[in-house]
Amino acid sequence: MAHCCLGGLAEFLQSFQQRVERFHENPGVRELPPDTYISRTITLVNCGPPLRALAERLARAGPLESEPAREAAASALDRVTRLCHRVLADLLFQELQPHFNKLMRRKWLSSSEALDGIVGTLGAQALALRRLQDEPYQALVAELHRRALVEYVRPLLRGRLRCRSARTRSRVAGRLREDAAQLQRLFRRLESQASWLDAVVPHLAEVLQLEDTPSIQVEVGVLVRDYPDIRRKHVAALLDIRGLRNAAARHEILAVARDLELSEGGALATPRDRAFFADIPVPRPPFCLGLPLLLGRLPLSRLSRPGLTCLPRPRPTSPARPRAQL
């Protein structure tokens, strides 16, 4: 009896999953007032825990042959939850994006306006999310926590700021620490369990502010250990931001990231919910043509011009489209 009921429940949940997907794909649904759309999405998510509990009870009461049906039921509910979480997060971050666009600019150094907007918007929207049942709420808040920190760090590593002095580095590092503390307090209020995110911005601040190469190497080592999906390109971008141009020092620091990448196996072992730097692309550095290549093509008077031998990396050429036959 339990086996038959579980099979029927699994079929129903697969149909439910498809209907939820069609609901969110419907262009007319996106025209609903945001509060209505959010409320309906939360209702769909809240269907999950009791149905999941029912499937588990039926599986325990049934024979071993019930396991495939239980897995099918769980898979359908997981898909519904992930889709609805993505919808809710996307709606929230659309509202947050203007505030993130103000980060890492000159005004950001002297004003908390951008972060106050982020914290205020997240705090206000969290009131609606409290209607979620506990399990989906915790999963969503953890993802919001991760995504908020990713969006905070992204403009930093994209090179929106450049530090030209130790004083500027100190100011930027101090601002990063203040913002990190404010975000940490916010997500503690929201009961986020993703505490692994709390240290990422303070680590970046330390790399910016430290002066001697060995100390920077140690901090980079800790950063790579705690966030194994970080890559040398991220560390190199951070060194660019702090204005470190000494080739020997850069090589020593980047070697730490390289060695730990090789020893830890890199981001291949990083679960999706623990990915961080993998979601932050950084600009590709220019490549420099060697002097022997240029000597035969350019007059010596032009070789002394700064930036002459550094060119943007070429983009891969797309295959040529076949010409239309007339």
Side-chain angles (χ1 to χ4, degrees), residues 104 149-150 152-157 163 169 172-174 176-177 180 197-210 216 219-220 222-224 227 230-231 234-239 241-242 276-277 280:
M104 312 304 161
L149 268 294
V150 166
Y152 180 88
V153 171
R154 187 191 305 276
L156 176 69
L157 294 186
C163 300
R169 288 199 301 273
V172 171
L176 290 172
R177 293 189 189 97
L197 291 162
D198 292 340
V200 62
V201 175
H203 279 320
L204 298 176
E206 284 297 308
V207 174
L208 286 179
Q209 189 168 16
L210 290 170
I216 298 173
E219 195 63 36
V220 168
V222 173
L223 191 60
V224 176
Y227 303 92
I230 194 171
R231 287 292 170 264
H234 297 108
V235 178
L238 199 57
L239 298 182
I241 293 159
R242 63 163 285 136
F276 189 86
F277 288 96
I280 305 177

mmCIF file of all heavy atoms in Angstrom, residues 104 149-150 152-157 163 169 172-174 176-177 180 197-210 216 219-220 222-224 227 230-231 234-239 241-242 276-277 280:
data_model
loop_
_atom_site.group_PDB
_atom_site.id
_atom_site.type_symbol
_atom_site.label_atom_id
_atom_site.label_comp_id
_atom_site.label_asym_id
_atom_site.label_seq_id
_atom_site.Cartn_x
_atom_site.Cartn_y
_atom_site.Cartn_z
ATOM 1 N N MET A 104 33.166 50.596 -4.432
ATOM 2 C CA MET A 104 34.552 50.676 -4.903
ATOM 3 C C MET A 104 34.798 51.890 -5.794
ATOM 4 O O MET A 104 35.567 51.836 -6.746
ATOM 5 C CB MET A 104 34.959 49.390 -5.651
ATOM 6 C CG MET A 104 34.612 48.113 -4.930
ATOM 7 S SD MET A 104 35.304 48.040 -3.255
ATOM 8 C CE MET A 104 34.275 46.760 -2.526
ATOM 9 N N LEU A 149 27.997 38.685 -0.964
ATOM 10 C CA LEU A 149 29.449 38.860 -0.832
ATOM 11 C C LEU A 149 30.140 38.781 -2.189
ATOM 12 O O LEU A 149 31.107 39.510 -2.449
ATOM 13 C CB LEU A 149 30.012 37.807 0.122
ATOM 14 C CG LEU A 149 30.109 38.183 1.612
ATOM 15 C CD1 LEU A 149 31.119 39.299 1.820
ATOM 16 C CD2 LEU A 149 28.772 38.597 2.187
ATOM 17 N N VAL A 150 29.651 37.906 -3.068
ATOM 18 C CA VAL A 150 30.215 37.835 -4.422
ATOM 19 C C VAL A 150 30.044 39.175 -5.136
ATOM 20 O O VAL A 150 30.982 39.699 -5.752
ATOM 21 C CB VAL A 150 29.550 36.700 -5.232
ATOM 22 C CG1 VAL A 150 29.859 36.839 -6.725
ATOM 23 C CG2 VAL A 150 30.030 35.339 -4.736
ATOM 24 N N TYR A 152 29.669 42.031 -3.811
ATOM 25 C CA TYR A 152 30.470 43.056 -3.133
ATOM 26 C C TYR A 152 31.927 42.992 -3.593
ATOM 27 O O TYR A 152 32.559 44.027 -3.853
ATOM 28 C CB TYR A 152 30.382 42.860 -1.618
ATOM 29 C CG TYR A 152 31.180 43.877 -0.833
ATOM 30 C CD1 TYR A 152 30.618 45.089 -0.460
ATOM 31 C CD2 TYR A 152 32.502 43.630 -0.484
ATOM 32 C CE1 TYR A 152 31.354 46.034 0.242
ATOM 33 C CE2 TYR A 152 33.247 44.565 0.216
ATOM 34 C CZ TYR A 152 32.670 45.764 0.579
ATOM 35 O OH TYR A 152 33.412 46.694 1.264
ATOM 36 N N VAL A 153 32.462 41.780 -3.694
ATOM 37 C CA VAL A 153 33.879 41.615 -4.040
ATOM 38 C C VAL A 153 34.119 41.819 -5.536
ATOM 39 O O VAL A 153 35.205 42.244 -5.949
ATOM 40 C CB VAL A 153 34.372 40.221 -3.583
ATOM 41 C CG1 VAL A 153 35.769 39.912 -4.107
ATOM 42 C CG2 VAL A 153 34.344 40.132 -2.058
ATOM 43 N N ARG A 154 33.107 41.543 -6.349
ATOM 44 C CA ARG A 154 33.286 41.607 -7.805
ATOM 45 C C ARG A 154 33.886 42.937 -8.285
ATOM 46 O O ARG A 154 34.889 42.938 -9.009
ATOM 47 C CB ARG A 154 31.947 41.339 -8.498
ATOM 48 C CG ARG A 154 32.052 41.208 -10.016
ATOM 49 C CD ARG A 154 30.662 41.220 -10.650
ATOM 50 N NE ARG A 154 29.792 40.200 -10.095
ATOM 51 C CZ ARG A 154 29.770 38.933 -10.496
ATOM 52 N NH1 ARG A 154 30.578 38.540 -11.464
ATOM 53 N NH2 ARG A 154 28.938 38.070 -9.940
ATOM 54 N N PRO A 155 33.311 44.103 -7.916
ATOM 55 C CA PRO A 155 33.895 45.356 -8.426
ATOM 56 C C PRO A 155 35.295 45.626 -7.894
ATOM 57 O O PRO A 155 36.076 46.330 -8.538
ATOM 58 C CB PRO A 155 32.901 46.426 -7.958
ATOM 59 C CG PRO A 155 32.170 45.810 -6.817
ATOM 60 C CD PRO A 155 32.090 44.351 -7.119
ATOM 61 N N LEU A 156 35.622 45.067 -6.732
ATOM 62 C CA LEU A 156 36.978 45.232 -6.214
ATOM 63 C C LEU A 156 37.977 44.530 -7.124
ATOM 64 O O LEU A 156 38.968 45.125 -7.564
ATOM 65 C CB LEU A 156 37.067 44.671 -4.791
ATOM 66 C CG LEU A 156 38.463 44.681 -4.155
ATOM 67 C CD1 LEU A 156 38.905 46.112 -3.874
ATOM 68 C CD2 LEU A 156 38.472 43.856 -2.867
ATOM 69 N N LEU A 157 37.712 43.264 -7.440
ATOM 70 C CA LEU A 157 38.653 42.499 -8.254
ATOM 71 C C LEU A 157 38.586 42.882 -9.728
ATOM 72 O O LEU A 157 39.491 42.533 -10.495
ATOM 73 C CB LEU A 157 38.387 40.998 -8.087
ATOM 74 C CG LEU A 157 38.660 40.429 -6.694
ATOM 75 C CD1 LEU A 157 38.509 38.915 -6.688
ATOM 76 C CD2 LEU A 157 40.043 40.812 -6.196
ATOM 77 N N CYS A 163 45.105 51.568 -5.788
ATOM 78 C CA CYS A 163 45.762 52.215 -4.653
ATOM 79 C C CYS A 163 47.153 52.670 -5.078
ATOM 80 O O CYS A 163 47.975 51.845 -5.479
ATOM 81 C CB CYS A 163 45.861 51.254 -3.471
ATOM 82 S SG CYS A 163 44.264 50.667 -2.877
ATOM 83 N N ARG A 169 45.848 52.497 0.485
ATOM 84 C CA ARG A 169 45.620 51.079 0.797
ATOM 85 C C ARG A 169 45.016 50.919 2.184
ATOM 86 O O ARG A 169 44.116 50.110 2.402
ATOM 87 C CB ARG A 169 46.929 50.294 0.704
ATOM 88 C CG ARG A 169 47.442 50.094 -0.702
ATOM 89 C CD ARG A 169 48.437 48.948 -0.757
ATOM 90 N NE ARG A 169 49.579 49.154 0.115
ATOM 91 C CZ ARG A 169 50.678 49.799 -0.228
ATOM 92 N NH1 ARG A 169 50.779 50.324 -1.436
ATOM 93 N NH2 ARG A 169 51.686 49.925 0.619
ATOM 94 N N VAL A 172 41.309 51.980 2.046
ATOM 95 C CA VAL A 172 40.478 50.975 1.381
ATOM 96 C C VAL A 172 40.306 49.753 2.279
ATOM 97 O O VAL A 172 39.196 49.229 2.438
ATOM 98 C CB VAL A 172 41.097 50.581 0.027
ATOM 99 C CG1 VAL A 172 40.364 49.383 -0.572
ATOM 100 C CG2 VAL A 172 41.054 51.756 -0.941
ATOM 101 N N ALA A 173 41.404 49.299 2.889
ATOM 102 C CA ALA A 173 41.322 48.129 3.766
ATOM 103 C C ALA A 173 40.398 48.397 4.953
ATOM 104 O O ALA A 173 39.603 47.536 5.347
ATOM 105 C CB ALA A 173 42.715 47.745 4.253
ATOM 106 N N GLY A 174 40.500 49.598 5.520
ATOM 107 C CA GLY A 174 39.628 49.940 6.638
ATOM 108 C C GLY A 174 38.166 49.954 6.241
ATOM 109 O O GLY A 174 37.301 49.476 6.985
ATOM 110 N N LEU A 176 36.824 48.256 3.775
ATOM 111 C CA LEU A 176 36.428 46.866 3.538
ATOM 112 C C LEU A 176 36.076 46.174 4.855
ATOM 113 O O LEU A 176 35.078 45.443 4.938
ATOM 114 C CB LEU A 176 37.548 46.106 2.829
ATOM 115 C CG LEU A 176 37.823 46.477 1.367
ATOM 116 C CD1 LEU A 176 39.083 45.771 0.873
ATOM 117 C CD2 LEU A 176 36.645 46.118 0.476
ATOM 118 N N ARG A 177 36.883 46.400 5.878
ATOM 119 C CA ARG A 177 36.610 45.758 7.171
ATOM 120 C C ARG A 177 35.306 46.270 7.778
ATOM 121 O O ARG A 177 34.524 45.493 8.347
ATOM 122 C CB ARG A 177 37.779 46.010 8.129
ATOM 123 C CG ARG A 177 39.076 45.323 7.722
ATOM 124 C CD ARG A 177 40.115 45.433 8.831
ATOM 125 N NE ARG A 177 41.413 44.961 8.381
ATOM 126 C CZ ARG A 177 42.386 45.755 7.935
ATOM 127 N NH1 ARG A 177 42.202 47.071 7.905
ATOM 128 N NH2 ARG A 177 43.533 45.253 7.532
ATOM 129 N N ALA A 180 32.478 44.714 5.860
ATOM 130 C CA ALA A 180 32.377 43.288 6.174
ATOM 131 C C ALA A 180 31.689 43.074 7.518
ATOM 132 O O ALA A 180 30.851 42.174 7.670
ATOM 133 C CB ALA A 180 33.767 42.654 6.185
ATOM 134 N N LEU A 197 31.570 32.522 4.985
ATOM 135 C CA LEU A 197 31.727 33.709 4.147
ATOM 136 C C LEU A 197 32.267 34.916 4.915
ATOM 137 O O LEU A 197 32.727 35.882 4.302
ATOM 138 C CB LEU A 197 30.374 34.082 3.530
ATOM 139 C CG LEU A 197 29.814 33.118 2.488
ATOM 140 C CD1 LEU A 197 28.323 33.356 2.294
ATOM 141 C CD2 LEU A 197 30.556 33.274 1.168
ATOM 142 N N ASP A 198 32.202 34.871 6.229
ATOM 143 C CA ASP A 198 32.508 36.069 7.020
ATOM 144 C C ASP A 198 33.945 36.550 6.854
ATOM 145 O O ASP A 198 34.218 37.746 6.985
ATOM 146 C CB ASP A 198 32.229 35.803 8.504
ATOM 147 C CG ASP A 198 30.747 35.625 8.798
ATOM 148 O OD1 ASP A 198 29.925 36.070 7.971
ATOM 149 O OD2 ASP A 198 30.411 35.035 9.847
ATOM 150 N N ALA A 199 34.865 35.641 6.576
ATOM 151 C CA ALA A 199 36.285 36.012 6.583
ATOM 152 C C ALA A 199 36.804 36.479 5.233
ATOM 153 O O ALA A 199 37.919 36.998 5.156
ATOM 154 C CB ALA A 199 37.128 34.826 7.068
ATOM 155 N N VAL A 200 36.028 36.328 4.163
ATOM 156 C CA VAL A 200 36.600 36.572 2.839
ATOM 157 C C VAL A 200 37.015 38.030 2.660
ATOM 158 O O VAL A 200 38.136 38.315 2.199
ATOM 159 C CB VAL A 200 35.625 36.120 1.724
ATOM 160 C CG1 VAL A 200 34.320 36.876 1.752
ATOM 161 C CG2 VAL A 200 36.291 36.246 0.360
ATOM 162 N N VAL A 201 36.164 38.982 3.009
ATOM 163 C CA VAL A 201 36.516 40.393 2.814
ATOM 164 C C VAL A 201 37.641 40.825 3.759
ATOM 165 O O VAL A 201 38.576 41.516 3.322
ATOM 166 C CB VAL A 201 35.266 41.287 2.961
ATOM 167 C CG1 VAL A 201 35.648 42.766 2.879
ATOM 168 C CG2 VAL A 201 34.252 40.959 1.865
ATOM 169 N N PRO A 202 37.628 40.441 5.047
ATOM 170 C CA PRO A 202 38.784 40.771 5.883
ATOM 171 C C PRO A 202 40.105 40.210 5.355
ATOM 172 O O PRO A 202 41.145 40.868 5.455
ATOM 173 C CB PRO A 202 38.420 40.149 7.243
ATOM 174 C CG PRO A 202 36.925 40.205 7.277
ATOM 175 C CD PRO A 202 36.502 39.913 5.868
ATOM 176 N N HIS A 203 40.089 39.008 4.778
ATOM 177 C CA HIS A 203 41.318 38.464 4.179
ATOM 178 C C HIS A 203 41.803 39.361 3.037
ATOM 179 O O HIS A 203 43.002 39.654 2.923
ATOM 180 C CB HIS A 203 41.069 37.055 3.638
ATOM 181 C CG HIS A 203 41.107 35.983 4.684
ATOM 182 N ND1 HIS A 203 42.020 35.966 5.715
ATOM 183 C CD2 HIS A 203 40.349 34.861 4.844
ATOM 184 C CE1 HIS A 203 41.816 34.895 6.472
ATOM 185 N NE2 HIS A 203 40.812 34.218 5.966
ATOM 186 N N LEU A 204 40.887 39.781 2.185
ATOM 187 C CA LEU A 204 41.265 40.652 1.070
ATOM 188 C C LEU A 204 41.820 41.978 1.587
ATOM 189 O O LEU A 204 42.786 42.521 1.029
ATOM 190 C CB LEU A 204 40.055 40.899 0.166
ATOM 191 C CG LEU A 204 39.458 39.659 -0.516
ATOM 192 C CD1 LEU A 204 38.213 40.038 -1.305
ATOM 193 C CD2 LEU A 204 40.473 38.984 -1.422
ATOM 194 N N ALA A 205 41.217 42.490 2.652
ATOM 195 C CA ALA A 205 41.704 43.739 3.240
ATOM 196 C C ALA A 205 43.129 43.581 3.760
ATOM 197 O O ALA A 205 43.969 44.485 3.601
ATOM 198 C CB ALA A 205 40.769 44.179 4.368
ATOM 199 N N GLU A 206 43.418 42.433 4.363
ATOM 200 C CA GLU A 206 44.770 42.198 4.875
ATOM 201 C C GLU A 206 45.789 42.160 3.739
ATOM 202 O O GLU A 206 46.879 42.725 3.852
ATOM 203 C CB GLU A 206 44.809 40.878 5.654
ATOM 204 C CG GLU A 206 44.182 40.951 7.026
ATOM 205 C CD GLU A 206 44.917 41.919 7.945
ATOM 206 O OE1 GLU A 206 46.152 41.806 8.073
ATOM 207 O OE2 GLU A 206 44.254 42.807 8.505
ATOM 208 N N VAL A 207 45.444 41.486 2.649
ATOM 209 C CA VAL A 207 46.371 41.424 1.515
ATOM 210 C C VAL A 207 46.648 42.823 0.980
ATOM 211 O O VAL A 207 47.764 43.139 0.564
ATOM 212 C CB VAL A 207 45.810 40.513 0.405
ATOM 213 C CG1 VAL A 207 46.698 40.562 -0.844
ATOM 214 C CG2 VAL A 207 45.700 39.077 0.898
ATOM 215 N N LEU A 208 45.642 43.681 0.996
ATOM 216 C CA LEU A 208 45.835 45.048 0.517
ATOM 217 C C LEU A 208 46.726 45.867 1.446
ATOM 218 O O LEU A 208 47.524 46.683 0.986
ATOM 219 C CB LEU A 208 44.484 45.751 0.368
ATOM 220 C CG LEU A 208 43.609 45.340 -0.816
ATOM 221 C CD1 LEU A 208 42.305 46.118 -0.796
ATOM 222 C CD2 LEU A 208 44.336 45.566 -2.137
ATOM 223 N N GLN A 209 46.596 45.658 2.748
ATOM 224 C CA GLN A 209 47.263 46.559 3.693
ATOM 225 C C GLN A 209 48.655 46.094 4.105
ATOM 226 O O GLN A 209 49.513 46.927 4.407
ATOM 227 C CB GLN A 209 46.396 46.742 4.941
ATOM 228 C CG GLN A 209 46.917 47.838 5.863
ATOM 229 C CD GLN A 209 45.916 48.223 6.926
ATOM 230 O OE1 GLN A 209 44.962 47.501 7.185
ATOM 231 N NE2 GLN A 209 46.119 49.374 7.545
ATOM 232 N N LEU A 210 48.898 44.796 4.150
ATOM 233 C CA LEU A 210 50.201 44.313 4.604
ATOM 234 C C LEU A 210 51.317 44.854 3.716
ATOM 235 O O LEU A 210 51.137 45.045 2.511
ATOM 236 C CB LEU A 210 50.218 42.784 4.606
ATOM 237 C CG LEU A 210 49.343 42.114 5.679
ATOM 238 C CD1 LEU A 210 49.245 40.622 5.426
ATOM 239 C CD2 LEU A 210 49.900 42.391 7.074
ATOM 240 N N ILE A 216 52.297 38.902 3.288
ATOM 241 C CA ILE A 216 51.301 38.786 2.222
ATOM 242 C C ILE A 216 51.202 37.335 1.763
ATOM 243 O O ILE A 216 50.103 36.821 1.515
ATOM 244 C CB ILE A 216 51.656 39.717 1.044
ATOM 245 C CG1 ILE A 216 51.643 41.179 1.495
ATOM 246 C CG2 ILE A 216 50.673 39.518 -0.110
ATOM 247 C CD1 ILE A 216 52.136 42.153 0.439
ATOM 248 N N GLU A 219 49.078 35.429 4.201
ATOM 249 C CA GLU A 219 47.655 35.772 4.080
ATOM 250 C C GLU A 219 47.050 35.171 2.817
ATOM 251 O O GLU A 219 45.913 34.693 2.824
ATOM 252 C CB GLU A 219 47.486 37.293 4.075
ATOM 253 C CG GLU A 219 46.063 37.750 4.317
ATOM 254 C CD GLU A 219 45.543 37.350 5.688
ATOM 255 O OE1 GLU A 219 46.325 37.362 6.658
ATOM 256 O OE2 GLU A 219 44.344 37.018 5.780
ATOM 257 N N VAL A 220 47.801 35.179 1.727
ATOM 258 C CA VAL A 220 47.318 34.549 0.496
ATOM 259 C C VAL A 220 47.152 33.049 0.705
ATOM 260 O O VAL A 220 46.185 32.440 0.229
ATOM 261 C CB VAL A 220 48.279 34.842 -0.674
ATOM 262 C CG1 VAL A 220 47.964 33.956 -1.883
ATOM 263 C CG2 VAL A 220 48.188 36.309 -1.077
ATOM 264 N N VAL A 222 46.369 31.531 3.491
ATOM 265 C CA VAL A 222 45.134 31.334 4.262
ATOM 266 C C VAL A 222 43.914 31.515 3.361
ATOM 267 O O VAL A 222 42.935 30.756 3.436
ATOM 268 C CB VAL A 222 45.084 32.321 5.447
ATOM 269 C CG1 VAL A 222 43.734 32.236 6.158
ATOM 270 C CG2 VAL A 222 46.217 32.033 6.425
ATOM 271 N N LEU A 223 43.979 32.509 2.488
ATOM 272 C CA LEU A 223 42.865 32.785 1.575
ATOM 273 C C LEU A 223 42.626 31.600 0.642
ATOM 274 O O LEU A 223 41.483 31.169 0.441
ATOM 275 C CB LEU A 223 43.184 34.044 0.769
ATOM 276 C CG LEU A 223 42.080 34.680 -0.071
ATOM 277 C CD1 LEU A 223 40.904 35.092 0.793
ATOM 278 C CD2 LEU A 223 42.630 35.886 -0.819
ATOM 279 N N VAL A 224 43.693 31.047 0.094
ATOM 280 C CA VAL A 224 43.558 29.906 -0.822
ATOM 281 C C VAL A 224 43.077 28.671 -0.066
ATOM 282 O O VAL A 224 42.283 27.877 -0.583
ATOM 283 C CB VAL A 224 44.895 29.628 -1.535
ATOM 284 C CG1 VAL A 224 44.796 28.382 -2.406
ATOM 285 C CG2 VAL A 224 45.299 30.825 -2.386
ATOM 286 N N TYR A 227 39.289 29.337 0.749
ATOM 287 C CA TYR A 227 38.449 29.514 -0.446
ATOM 288 C C TYR A 227 39.174 28.873 -1.632
ATOM 289 O O TYR A 227 39.806 29.559 -2.438
ATOM 290 C CB TYR A 227 38.159 31.002 -0.691
ATOM 291 C CG TYR A 227 37.502 31.640 0.501
ATOM 292 C CD1 TYR A 227 38.263 32.264 1.493
ATOM 293 C CD2 TYR A 227 36.125 31.570 0.679
ATOM 294 C CE1 TYR A 227 37.661 32.814 2.612
ATOM 295 C CE2 TYR A 227 35.518 32.117 1.799
ATOM 296 C CZ TYR A 227 36.292 32.738 2.758
ATOM 297 O OH TYR A 227 35.695 33.272 3.874
ATOM 298 N N ILE A 230 39.672 30.063 -5.411
ATOM 299 C CA ILE A 230 40.407 31.257 -5.827
ATOM 300 C C ILE A 230 41.539 30.831 -6.753
ATOM 301 O O ILE A 230 42.093 29.736 -6.622
ATOM 302 C CB ILE A 230 40.955 32.033 -4.610
ATOM 303 C CG1 ILE A 230 41.419 33.435 -5.031
ATOM 304 C CG2 ILE A 230 42.067 31.276 -3.920
ATOM 305 C CD1 ILE A 230 41.763 34.342 -3.859
ATOM 306 N N ARG A 231 41.861 31.679 -7.701
ATOM 307 C CA ARG A 231 42.890 31.372 -8.683
ATOM 308 C C ARG A 231 43.959 32.458 -8.689
ATOM 309 O O ARG A 231 43.764 33.549 -8.152
ATOM 310 C CB ARG A 231 42.265 31.237 -10.086
ATOM 311 C CG ARG A 231 41.453 29.951 -10.247
ATOM 312 C CD ARG A 231 42.419 28.768 -10.213
ATOM 313 N NE ARG A 231 41.744 27.489 -10.129
ATOM 314 C CZ ARG A 231 41.525 26.839 -8.998
ATOM 315 N NH1 ARG A 231 41.868 27.384 -7.839
ATOM 316 N NH2 ARG A 231 40.969 25.656 -9.004
ATOM 317 N N HIS A 234 42.910 35.886 -9.636
ATOM 318 C CA HIS A 234 42.273 36.708 -8.607
ATOM 319 C C HIS A 234 43.328 37.354 -7.706
ATOM 320 O O HIS A 234 43.218 38.538 -7.355
ATOM 321 C CB HIS A 234 41.322 35.852 -7.764
ATOM 322 C CG HIS A 234 40.188 35.259 -8.533
ATOM 323 N ND1 HIS A 234 40.117 33.919 -8.838
ATOM 324 C CD2 HIS A 234 39.075 35.828 -9.074
ATOM 325 C CE1 HIS A 234 39.008 33.686 -9.520
ATOM 326 N NE2 HIS A 234 38.364 34.822 -9.682
ATOM 327 N N VAL A 235 44.331 36.564 -7.327
ATOM 328 C CA VAL A 235 45.400 37.113 -6.488
ATOM 329 C C VAL A 235 46.162 38.191 -7.256
ATOM 330 O O VAL A 235 46.501 39.246 -6.704
ATOM 331 C CB VAL A 235 46.346 35.991 -6.022
ATOM 332 C CG1 VAL A 235 47.484 36.569 -5.180
ATOM 333 C CG2 VAL A 235 45.585 34.934 -5.221
ATOM 334 N N ALA A 236 46.420 37.949 -8.537
ATOM 335 C CA ALA A 236 47.124 38.945 -9.353
ATOM 336 C C ALA A 236 46.313 40.235 -9.446
ATOM 337 O O ALA A 236 46.876 41.342 -9.387
ATOM 338 C CB ALA A 236 47.386 38.380 -10.747
ATOM 339 N N ALA A 237 44.992 40.110 -9.588
ATOM 340 C CA ALA A 237 44.147 41.309 -9.634
ATOM 341 C C ALA A 237 44.238 42.076 -8.322
ATOM 342 O O ALA A 237 44.277 43.314 -8.308
ATOM 343 C CB ALA A 237 42.699 40.909 -9.917
ATOM 344 N N LEU A 238 44.295 41.356 -7.215
ATOM 345 C CA LEU A 238 44.409 42.003 -5.908
ATOM 346 C C LEU A 238 45.754 42.722 -5.775
ATOM 347 O O LEU A 238 45.831 43.832 -5.233
ATOM 348 C CB LEU A 238 44.244 40.949 -4.814
ATOM 349 C CG LEU A 238 43.888 41.422 -3.407
ATOM 350 C CD1 LEU A 238 42.607 42.238 -3.413
ATOM 351 C CD2 LEU A 238 43.744 40.225 -2.476
ATOM 352 N N LEU A 239 46.806 42.103 -6.288
ATOM 353 C CA LEU A 239 48.120 42.756 -6.257
ATOM 354 C C LEU A 239 48.141 43.991 -7.150
ATOM 355 O O LEU A 239 48.805 44.987 -6.833
ATOM 356 C CB LEU A 239 49.202 41.766 -6.694
ATOM 357 C CG LEU A 239 49.372 40.521 -5.812
ATOM 358 C CD1 LEU A 239 50.500 39.648 -6.337
ATOM 359 C CD2 LEU A 239 49.616 40.901 -4.355
ATOM 360 N N ILE A 241 45.567 45.926 -7.650
ATOM 361 C CA ILE A 241 44.805 46.945 -6.925
ATOM 362 C C ILE A 241 45.681 47.615 -5.868
ATOM 363 O O ILE A 241 45.612 48.831 -5.664
ATOM 364 C CB ILE A 241 43.560 46.313 -6.277
ATOM 365 C CG1 ILE A 241 42.588 45.845 -7.362
ATOM 366 C CG2 ILE A 241 42.862 47.287 -5.340
ATOM 367 C CD1 ILE A 241 41.614 44.805 -6.891
ATOM 368 N N ARG A 242 46.511 46.832 -5.200
ATOM 369 C CA ARG A 242 47.369 47.411 -4.169
ATOM 370 C C ARG A 242 48.606 48.078 -4.766
ATOM 371 O O ARG A 242 49.409 48.667 -4.052
ATOM 372 C CB ARG A 242 47.772 46.377 -3.128
ATOM 373 C CG ARG A 242 48.590 45.222 -3.615
ATOM 374 C CD ARG A 242 49.278 44.486 -2.457
ATOM 375 N NE ARG A 242 50.398 45.265 -1.958
ATOM 376 C CZ ARG A 242 50.671 45.458 -0.673
ATOM 377 N NH1 ARG A 242 49.908 44.925 0.247
ATOM 378 N NH2 ARG A 242 51.718 46.163 -0.303
ATOM 379 N N PHE A 276 32.818 30.550 -4.586
ATOM 380 C CA PHE A 276 32.847 31.991 -4.355
ATOM 381 C C PHE A 276 33.602 32.690 -5.483
ATOM 382 O O PHE A 276 33.005 33.335 -6.339
ATOM 383 C CB PHE A 276 33.473 32.321 -3.002
ATOM 384 C CG PHE A 276 33.327 33.771 -2.637
ATOM 385 C CD1 PHE A 276 32.183 34.212 -2.009
ATOM 386 C CD2 PHE A 276 34.313 34.698 -2.956
ATOM 387 C CE1 PHE A 276 32.013 35.557 -1.702
ATOM 388 C CE2 PHE A 276 34.160 36.041 -2.658
ATOM 389 C CZ PHE A 276 33.009 36.475 -2.027
ATOM 390 N N PHE A 277 34.912 32.520 -5.512
ATOM 391 C CA PHE A 277 35.707 33.215 -6.526
ATOM 392 C C PHE A 277 35.440 32.677 -7.927
ATOM 393 O O PHE A 277 35.677 33.382 -8.912
ATOM 394 C CB PHE A 277 37.193 33.115 -6.183
ATOM 395 C CG PHE A 277 37.584 33.964 -5.009
ATOM 396 C CD1 PHE A 277 37.657 33.421 -3.738
ATOM 397 C CD2 PHE A 277 37.845 35.314 -5.164
ATOM 398 C CE1 PHE A 277 38.002 34.204 -2.647
ATOM 399 C CE2 PHE A 277 38.191 36.108 -4.081
ATOM 400 C CZ PHE A 277 38.265 35.553 -2.817
ATOM 401 N N ILE A 280 33.451 35.013 -9.916
ATOM 402 C CA ILE A 280 33.976 36.372 -10.104
ATOM 403 C C ILE A 280 35.030 36.346 -11.206
ATOM 404 O O ILE A 280 36.205 36.053 -10.947
ATOM 405 C CB ILE A 280 34.587 36.926 -8.802
ATOM 406 C CG1 ILE A 280 33.562 36.873 -7.661
ATOM 407 C CG2 ILE A 280 35.077 38.359 -9.012
ATOM 408 C CD1 ILE A 280 34.111 37.330 -6.330
#
